[in-house]
Amino acid sequence: MRPYLSDWHTGFTRFNSIKSKIKSNFQIGIYHGQLLSSENSRSKMYATMPEKIPADTVKDDHVSNMLVDSFGRLHTYLRISLTERCNLRCQYCMPAEGVELTPNSLVMSRNEIIRLANLFVSSGVNKIRLTGGEPSVRKDIEEICSELSSLKGLKTLAMTTNGLALSRKLPKLKDCGLNLLNISLDTLVPAKFEFMTRRKGHERVMESIYRAVDLGYDPVKVNCVVMRGFNDDEICDFVELTRDKPINVRFIEFMPFDGNVWNVKKLVSYAEMMDVVGKRYTGIRRIQDHKSETAKNFTLDGHRGTVSFITSMTDHFCSGCNRLRLLADGNLKVCLFGPSEVSLRDPIREGADDDELRQIIGAAVKRKKAAHAGMFDIAKTPNRPMIHIGG
């Protein structure tokens, strides 16, 4: 086991003695007046909105009009949820009472996944991300990666994983064509990890991060959902992960989904996070991001890695959105926060040909709205739990 900042767990030697305190802080939160305002924040200089993708972006003959919405946005990035099952029970992802999982017979088969992926890639998608649930618990994950990576036109095959079972599987997955990796980790304190995920395994996740670095993934992306009263005191500790290793820490604003008891008091805004980092570190510079980039990315003097902020709640990036989501049950979702879904599994099983599937997909993409609702409206809009949608 590799060492990591030895004093991160100080004061947390007995989980049961602190569980109630963590729970109280996390559930209640402490409201700061600067939460939704960056007027006097040093982060204001970094806040930018991506440009809308011009309508004339679609120039390549192989790119299908199926992927272009009514606002001229070209969708070249498909997220595929392989399963709703997970080996953790994260509080912001799954309701305390659990969720009803889709029966196995109604989850997409490997052949259905590959057929739909091929349809999207042949129409212009060049990046696929595998999500879940936890994608690594799917028994045929290696075969899926191998078949997807062989699709002509696919440039990036990525996966978002909790890292719990990743370390031993990663060498084979890399051989099967997995070339980009996001590992979710919301705390560097083992006891807090156990509270948030309702499971043990912090050391195994850290080992997966280091294994990915050793295998040459550059960067290894670490996703951290920041929640007031739970892990907002660890922001700079996470930044330290980037000092000597090719790690990109991605701080994510807490987002509302069914059953995760979202509250604005738990939200730590991009402006506030940027203030915390700016007060501790110098030489912070914004990277020139692609117009479809979801994160605001930064380098820091003396750090090999980078830090990023995903600002879905306080500074959305809808105008440059190029993402579509295929859920484990075969439903297509064109917006993470939109309740609208359309089944692709059912038409496949009813004998639809590729042209019919393209018409269904194209119609759904054309119905995509210019932007998702504001965060307070999102919190009141019916949507599925994150474990159903795919991380």
Side-chain angles (χ1 to χ4, degrees):
M1 172 80 187
R2 297 174 184 240
Y4 47 87
L5 295 183
S6 60
D7 60 349
W8 279 343
H9 61 282
T10 302
F12 293 95
T13 55
R14 294 187 63 215
F15 174 69
N16 288 335
S17 67
I18 64 165
K19 182 176 179 181
S20 60
K21 182 177 179 181
I22 297 175
K23 184 174 183 180
S24 174
N25 287 340
F26 173 58
Q27 290 180 339
I28 297 173
I30 303 170
Y31 188 78
H32 289 279
Q34 72 183 115
L35 179 63
L36 302 177
S37 172
S38 61
E39 285 300 314
N40 297 313
S41 168
R42 79 169 35 82
S43 66
K44 185 178 179 182
M45 71 182 73
Y46 302 114
T48 60
M49 286 293 292
E51 299 176 5
K52 179 179 177 180
I53 297 177
D56 63 359
T57 298
V58 186
K59 296 178 180 178
D60 296 335
D61 291 340
H62 78 286
V63 174
S64 169
N65 188 55
M66 172 187 94
L67 298 176
V68 183
D69 68 14
S70 59
F71 301 95
R73 293 174 297 198
L74 172 62
H75 297 77
T76 57
Y77 179 5
L78 177 66
R79 301 173 71 98
I80 302 177
S81 176
L82 298 183
T83 179
E84 296 172 353
R85 300 185 180 278
C86 188
N87 45 10
L88 295 180
R89 295 292 183 270
C90 298
Q91 295 191 31
Y92 60 80
C93 181
M94 182 181 291
E97 65 275 15
V99 296
E100 183 176 351
L101 300 179
T102 300
N104 287 338
S105 62
L106 298 180
V107 171
M108 286 190 298
S109 68
R110 184 168 88 236
N111 287 340
E112 289 168 340
I113 291 170
I114 301 304
R115 179 183 173 186
L116 287 172
N118 184 58
L119 184 63
F120 277 97
V121 172
S122 65
S123 299
V125 162
N126 55 39
K127 178 178 181 179
I128 289 177
R129 177 175 298 279
L130 303 177
T131 69
E134 170 49 41
S136 68
V137 304
R138 182 146 173 164
K139 293 181 180 179
D140 55 358
I141 178 68
E142 294 172 356
E143 292 83 358
I144 289 173
C145 284
S146 181
E147 291 188 58
L148 289 176
S149 65
S150 68
L151 294 178
K152 184 178 180 180
L154 187 69
K155 298 178 181 178
T156 303
L157 179 61
M159 183 168 73
T160 296
T161 170
N162 61 32
L164 201 64
L166 182 67
S167 182
R168 62 184 175 84
K169 296 183 177 183
L170 192 53
K172 179 64 174 177
L173 289 173
K174 190 171 189 291
D175 289 341
C176 290
L178 185 71
N179 55 21
L180 184 63
L181 194 62
N182 289 51
I183 300 176
S184 299
L185 181 65
D186 300 317
T187 178
L188 297 167
V189 179
K192 288 163 71 173
F193 176 90
E194 185 176 342
F195 165 73
M196 172 54 65
T197 66
R198 305 182 180 108
R199 296 289 187 274
K200 296 180 182 293
H202 180 267
E203 292 182 357
R204 292 162 64 187
V205 179
M206 294 301 300
E207 281 297 300
S208 291
I209 292 172
Y210 292 132
R211 188 70 182 277
V213 170
D214 290 343
L215 287 171
Y217 284 92
D218 185 0
V220 176
K221 297 185 177 184
V222 176
N223 292 349
C224 176
V225 177
V226 181
M227 293 158 281
R228 192 179 308 283
F230 174 70
N231 62 352
D232 53 324
D233 60 335
E234 298 185 62
I235 291 173
C236 290
D237 292 337
F238 271 97
V239 174
E240 283 300 311
L241 288 176
T242 72
R243 186 175 292 278
D244 301 314
K245 297 186 183 336
I247 292 175
N248 169 227
V249 172
R250 298 159 67 83
F251 296 111
I252 303 171
E253 291 181 337
F254 185 37
M255 295 176 280
F257 294 97
D258 278 11
N260 73 350
V261 198
W262 184 87
N263 188 309
V264 69
K265 294 181 180 180
K266 299 178 191 176
L267 171 65
V268 182
S269 70
Y270 160 55
E272 189 174 347
M273 289 189 279
M274 195 67 227
D275 273 348
V276 171
V277 176
K279 288 175 181 176
R280 172 82 172 267
Y281 298 94
T282 58
I284 304 173
R285 287 182 295 276
R286 178 77 183 268
I287 298 172
Q288 184 63 46
D289 299 319
H290 188 272
K291 62 188 69 176
S292 63
E293 175 62 65
T294 61
K296 296 172 174 60
N297 301 297
F298 297 84
T299 60
L300 294 87
D301 283 351
H303 286 238
R304 183 178 175 186
T306 55
V307 296
S308 306
F309 301 86
I310 299 178
T311 64
S312 303
M313 295 294 94
T314 64
D315 189 7
H316 72 75
F317 33 81
C318 299
S319 66
C321 183
N322 69 336
R323 294 167 300 286
L324 301 171
R325 292 173 179 266
L326 185 59
L327 279 55
D329 63 4
N331 277 12
L332 178 68
K333 195 174 180 70
V334 297
C335 176
L336 173 61
F337 297 111
S340 298
E341 299 177 5
V342 60
S343 178
L344 300 182
R345 177 203 65 206
D346 291 348
I348 285 178
R349 295 185 181 183
E350 292 166 3
D353 61 24
D354 285 354
D355 286 339
E356 290 172 310
L357 291 173
R358 286 191 180 94
Q359 290 177 11
I360 296 170
I361 294 167
V365 171
K366 293 296 186 295
R367 291 193 296 269
K368 185 170 181 175
K369 296 181 179 180
H372 62 66
M375 62 180 166
F376 295 107
D377 290 327
I378 290 173
K380 295 182 290 186
T381 301
N383 201 357
R384 295 217 240 175
M386 194 60 178
I387 196 167
H388 277 170
I389 298 172

